[in-house]
């Protein structure tokens, strides 16, 4: 069977365009996902961004204050 004729019984994931940066609100979401137990590569995949941007957020090189905002949201 040639690849042109192959029919699969499952749908493949859609590949979306990756972005170069996170918004402040997304950085807050990064902290919340991290505290919920998600690994950096999973967070990056969920947001469609490079793992380096996740690391920059978690090391507070970008979006300073996002950690405090996330803490306030998580503590109710």
């Amino acid at each position: 069977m040639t690849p042109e004729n192959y029919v699969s019984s499952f749908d493949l994931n859609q590949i979306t365009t990756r972005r170069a940066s996170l918004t402040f609100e997304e950085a807050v979401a990064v902290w919340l996902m991290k505290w919920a137990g998600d690994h950096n590569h999973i967070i990056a995949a969920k947001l469609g961004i490079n793992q380096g941007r996740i690391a920059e957020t978690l090391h507070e090189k970008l979006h300073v204050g996002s950690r405090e905002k996330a803490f306030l949201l998580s503590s109710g």
Side-chain angles (χ1 to χ4, degrees):
M1 178 176 276
T2 64
E4 295 83 22
N5 297 331
Y6 183 76
V7 177
S8 175
S9 62
F10 58 91
D11 292 329
L12 297 176
N13 292 335
Q14 289 285 44
I15 298 174
T16 57
T17 305
R18 293 195 178 254
R19 297 174 296 127
S21 63
L22 291 171
T23 65
F24 184 83
E25 291 78 16
E26 289 170 328
V28 171
V30 166
W31 285 105
L32 295 172
M33 287 187 270
K34 186 66 174 179
W35 293 336
D38 287 345
H39 294 281
N40 291 9
H41 68 282
I42 299 298
I43 297 169
K46 287 179 180 179
L47 296 174
I49 195 117
N50 185 291
Q51 292 180 46
R53 303 303 73 78
I54 304 304
E56 288 174 346
T57 299
L58 296 174
H59 289 109
E60 299 188 90
K61 292 182 179 180
L62 294 176
H63 303 297
V64 175
S66 59
R67 181 179 185 176
E68 289 78 17
K69 177 74 171 182
F71 181 76
L72 290 172
L73 289 173
S74 69
S75 61

